[in-house]
Amino acid sequence: MYADTLDNTVIEPAVPVIEEEPAAIAPVQTPEPAATHTHETVIPAEVSENDTIAENDSIAADTIATITVPATLKAAPPFPPAWTTGLEPTPLAHRADTDPVLSASIVILLLVMMMCIRHSRRLIPAMIKDLLSVRTRKKSFDEHTANESRVIILFGIQFTVFAGILLSAGADIATGHPPLTDTAMTLLPTLALCGIYYIFQICAYWTVGFTFATSTGRRLWLRGFNASQSLLGFAMAIPALLVVFYPDAADGALTTAATFYVFARLIFIFKGLRIFYQNFYSLLYFILYLCTLEIIPLIVVFKTAIALNG
């Protein structure tokens, strides 16, 4: 029975299986911007899947490598160095506050004065007494020592320097110029003028005291003059510094300095009146002294300062 079944079974011949070939891969096109090249690659049907992937990678890499940048996106040329552009520098103006010689001289002068005051503390009260008193000193320690005399000379130099600075600034303003537009070298004539005027006053007061007063009165008068100039040098320090280092405050500083000067001169003149006044005729001589030694020389000095600065 089993054999019959095998005999009745029809064995069909084997049909060959035909494998379908993979469809052709469409060309790979990569969108590119304008002005760039496009690569088209057709992969044959016979290539394997691995070869197709490798080919696609190479095409993408080649496409990216050949992208060109439009002309409008090209880098601009490098900028010039910063030091070749900018504002043109202006030269520093030659003024008193920018002159190292004048600034150093003022600082040294102030330091010397501070050291002198430190070692002669009783000198300032003594000078105030010399300016106001007309009494003869009866105590030996009331007289000035040699050290104090040197300090008084330094105080006179201080007054000469500060008065010369203020006088030069006043002459500049009187001529319509900004104050102290000069350097230390151009200030020397005005400083020398103040020094000459100081020496002239000492000589003139000694002559008048020798002629119209006793030796004691002459000595008291000269002491009062030196004391007034020394104290005036301290009072003029701040106005002079303002004129040098803050020219915008020159008007107020000069007004303050002139007020100090007039006040000190009035005190000194009043002391001279107390020394020389004896009768009505001595009053006439005193008026003549005022015109000869206090008013006319001061006008001459100011006119000369204007001529030097002009």
Side-chain angles (χ1 to χ4, degrees):
M1 184 177 180
Y2 178 75
D4 295 338
T5 304
L6 291 177
D7 295 338
N8 295 333
T9 301
V10 179
I11 300 176
E12 297 178 357
V15 179
V17 180
I18 302 174
E19 296 181 357
E20 295 181 358
E21 297 181 357
I25 299 177
V28 178
Q29 295 182 355
T30 303
E32 298 179 357
T36 59
H37 301 285
T38 304
H39 294 268
E40 296 182 359
T41 304
V42 179
I43 301 177
E46 293 78 12
V47 294
S48 63
E49 185 178 357
N50 294 334
D51 294 338
T52 304
I53 296 174
E55 183 68 20
N56 290 339
D57 293 341
S58 63
I59 292 172
D62 186 47
T63 303
I64 295 174
T66 57
I67 293 177
T68 58
V69 180
T72 56
L73 299 179
K74 291 184 178 180
F79 291 101
W83 56 268
T84 61
T85 60
L87 300 177
E88 184 69 20
T90 57
L92 187 63
H94 293 285
R95 300 188 341 185
D97 57 340
T98 59
D99 185 22
V101 177
L102 181 60
S103 301
S105 301
I106 292 176
V107 171
I108 292 174
L109 182 61
L110 292 176
L111 290 177
V112 172
M113 293 302 103
M114 292 175 63
M115 294 177 62
C116 292
I117 294 175
R118 180 182 178 183
H119 294 288
S120 302
R121 296 181 179 179
R122 70 183 187 90
L123 186 58
I124 300 298
M127 287 191 297
I128 295 175
K129 188 175 182 180
D130 287 339
L131 179 61
L132 300 176
S133 177
V134 292
R135 295 181 180 180
T136 306
R137 299 179 182 270
K138 297 181 180 181
K139 298 180 181 180
S140 59
F141 58 82
D142 286 339
E143 298 294 331
H144 292 314
T145 62
N147 184 34
E148 291 177 346
S149 299
R150 289 192 294 268
V151 173
I152 291 176
I153 294 175
L154 291 176
F155 287 166
I157 296 175
Q158 172 183 313
F159 166 77
T160 302
V161 172
F162 290 151
I165 292 173
L166 294 169
L167 180 61
S168 179
D172 288 336
I173 294 177
T175 55
H177 296 88
L180 293 183
T181 56
D182 303 327
T183 58
M185 299 304 297
T186 54
L187 281 175
L188 287 179
T190 307
L191 297 179
L193 177 64
C194 290
I196 293 173
Y197 180 53
Y198 190 95
I199 296 174
F200 166 78
Q201 286 178 306
I202 293 177
C203 296
Y205 294 149
W206 188 91
T207 303
V208 172
F210 180 80
T211 305
F212 297 100
T214 62
S215 59
T216 302
R218 181 179 70 250
R219 185 173 65 254
L220 291 175
W221 201 33
L222 290 176
R223 282 180 177 272
F225 172 71
N226 289 326
S228 67
Q229 301 302 93
S230 298
L231 296 174
L232 194 57
F234 285 103
M236 287 185 172
I238 294 179
L241 293 177
L242 288 176
V243 168
V244 173
F245 299 104
Y246 192 64
D248 294 337
D251 294 336
L254 289 174
T255 302
T256 304
T259 303
F260 288 156
Y261 184 82
V262 172
F263 184 71
R265 300 307 296 173
L266 289 177
I267 294 177
F268 173 70
I269 291 172
F270 181 70
K271 179 177 181 177
L273 181 62
R274 293 168 62 188
I275 292 175
F276 292 101
Y277 180 77
Q278 296 178 356
N279 49 41
F280 180 76
Y281 293 103
S282 61
L283 183 60
L284 294 178
Y285 284 120
F286 191 77
I287 295 174
L288 182 62
Y289 143 75
L290 290 178
C291 296
T292 306
L293 297 181
E294 299 295 341
I295 299 177
I296 296 177
L298 192 60
I299 296 175
V300 172
V301 168
F302 187 69
K303 294 291 185 180
T304 305
I306 292 178
L308 291 175
N309 288 19

